[in-house]
Amino acid sequence: MIIIDDIYKRYKTKDGPGRWILNGISLTIPSNHNVGIIGKNGAGKSTLLRLIGGVDHPTKGSIQRKTRISWPMGLGSGLQPSLTGRQNAKFICRIYGHESDLIDRIDYIQDFAEIGTAFDEPIRTYSSGMRSRLQFALSLAVNFDVYISDEVTAAGDASFRKKAADAFRNLVGKSSLIMAAHGESTLKEFCKSGIWLHEGKAYWFDDINDALIEYKKSELNHQIDKALSPKLEHQELSGISKEMAEVLQKGLTLLNKGLDGCPERIGHEEGSHAIMAAKEIGMNLANIGVIKNLGFTLLPNKKPLLIKYNPVADQYVELYDVNSQCVKAIASSQ
């Protein structure tokens, strides 16, 4: 179990104390529980992982680690630059009590890292990718209860990424994982629960899918705000038109109502808005009260340009071009 008690974190800058990256976070991460950390760039994901791993300290607050935790895999720091990869590996293995099987551990690290002859060269000559590979191999060579991963599955070529993913799969049932990754599929595969970092605060979700949805809602709202801004430069950066932003804004409002007791019936135009917003943030349409109350059965579909209701066919249809030449039914009457 890891207990995070009211931690704050900020760094010093040349102009004095910087902004609060983490601002009063309290969480309890259960034992034997895989957790994904989600947030936009700069939200504090790597910072929180470093604090949990003990390679950095909070400005205020405390973290209790009632388990054996790795350093953040893929961080690439913590290695002695004047020593070779092999010498660093020996030093770390001995610190963690692996003197008796040291040769086997070193062979495993060298094989897994795939850095060739560089294993016997000083760390200061390594690229950042080589450092990350070596750190990852070092972490796996030591038996931890909890492994911390910071974008490890995105490092290296396709072969190494597959090897990293396979290594995580092998940890199932043996150790737990706390990870940050930009790839949604990676988080869904390896993590049961999620922590969403937003504006210095942390929000716990028992289901990783719920954490991803809240994150994407926040990002979509930010995009909508830009599109509806009176400033032209903000509109141009939004990536969506003002008209689409208005549709998505209405749809998000309906979805939020649907989660807290939605109206018994809504009109077909509102239903279109709700479906558009749900698809944008990756919600499971079949589980959304607002849409279920329309009395329609949802069919498999891909992301459309727009969704409209066709009263003649009594169906919602997807429009794949502006001329509405290509349509596909996504919902039909029960």
Side-chain angles (χ1 to χ4, degrees), residues 247-248 251 254 266-279 291 294 306-310 315-317 330:
V247 167
L248 293 173
L254 286 166
I266 60 175
H268 292 302
E269 182 178 0
E270 290 86 352
S272 300
H273 297 164
I275 294 174
M276 283 292 292
K279 290 168 69 65
I291 298 174
L294 290 168
L306 193 62
I307 293 175
K308 291 287 187 181
Y309 176 69
N310 179 355
Q315 292 180 328
Y316 281 98
V317 295
I330 67 164

Side-chain angles (χ1 to χ4, degrees), residues 196 205 209-219 259:
W196 173 42
F205 295 85
N209 293 294
D210 293 336
L212 287 165
I213 286 171
E214 287 306 311
Y215 164 65
K216 286 189 281 189
K217 271 188 187 180
S218 174
E219 291 298 288
L259 298 176

Side-chain angles (χ1 to χ4, degrees), residues 114 128-130 132-133 151-162 164:
E114 294 182 349
S128 60
M130 291 167 67
S132 294
R133 283 172 175 244
E151 298 289 352
V152 167
T153 53
D157 56 23
S159 175
F160 187 80
R161 290 197 299 272
K162 181 181 182 302

Side-chain angles (χ1 to χ4, degrees), residues 2 42 56 76 96 107 163 198 259 268 334:
I2 302 168
D56 200 355
Y96 284 95
D107 288 344
K163 180 183 281 192
H198 180 61
L259 298 176
H268 292 302
Q334 294 179 336

Side-chain angles (χ1 to χ4, degrees), residues 37-223:
I37 300 180
I38 301 163
K40 65 181 182 180
N41 290 338
K45 300 186 296 296
S46 295
T47 298
L48 181 57
L49 288 176
R50 287 197 298 269
L51 295 177
I52 292 173
V55 298
D56 200 355
H57 303 282
T59 307
K60 294 191 291 183
S62 64
I63 299 178
Q64 298 181 50
R65 304 169 188 87
K66 301 182 178 182
T67 189
R68 189 173 161 102
I69 305 176
S70 80
W71 54 84
M73 303 159 77
L75 186 62
S77 62
L79 299 171
Q80 170 50 250
S82 63
L83 299 180
T84 66
R86 185 183 302 275
Q87 290 168 331
N88 272 277
K90 286 181 178 180
F91 177 71
I92 289 172
C93 287
R94 283 171 174 152
I95 284 178
Y96 284 95
H98 293 296
E99 185 71 44
S100 62
D101 59 348
L102 182 62
I103 294 176
D104 290 339
R105 301 272 173 173
I106 298 302
D107 288 344
Y108 172 85
I109 293 167
Q110 184 175 12
D111 178 66
F112 197 100
E114 294 182 349
I115 56 175
T117 57
F119 192 58
D120 289 303
E121 296 172 2
I123 296 295
R124 64 170 176 267
T125 65
Y126 287 18
S127 66
S128 60
M130 291 167 67
R131 285 173 177 255
S132 294
R133 283 172 175 244
L134 180 57
Q135 276 279 28
F136 188 47
L138 285 167
S139 299
L140 292 175
V142 179
N143 296 325
F144 292 109
D145 299 316
V146 180
Y147 288 87
I148 298 176
S149 168
D150 192 358
E151 298 289 352
V152 167
T153 53
D157 56 23
S159 175
F160 187 80
R161 290 197 299 272
K162 181 181 182 302
K163 180 183 281 192
D166 288 342
F168 284 153
R169 293 185 189 102
N170 290 335
L171 292 175
V172 175
K174 305 172 187 176
S175 303
S176 57
L177 179 67
I178 302 174
M179 73 183 309
H182 283 296
E184 183 176 323
S185 59
T186 300
L187 290 167
K188 287 183 176 181
E189 178 179 0
F190 294 111
C191 302
K192 177 181 179 181
S193 302
I195 297 171
W196 173 42
L197 295 180
H198 180 61
E199 296 181 348
K201 300 296 184 181
Y203 303 90
W204 173 272
F205 295 85
D206 290 333
D207 188 328
I208 187 68
N209 293 294
D210 293 336
L212 287 165
I213 286 171
E214 287 306 311
Y215 164 65
K216 286 189 281 189
K217 271 188 187 180
S218 174
E219 291 298 288
L220 182 57
N221 274 318
H222 183 61
Q223 196 177 14

Side-chain angles (χ1 to χ4, degrees), residues 5-23:
D5 185 16
D6 198 27
I7 63 167
Y8 292 74
K9 183 63 181 179
R10 65 181 175 188
Y11 295 96
K12 291 182 180 179
T13 70
K14 62 180 181 180
D15 300 317
R19 67 180 178 87
W20 289 110
I21 298 172
L22 303 176
N23 193 353

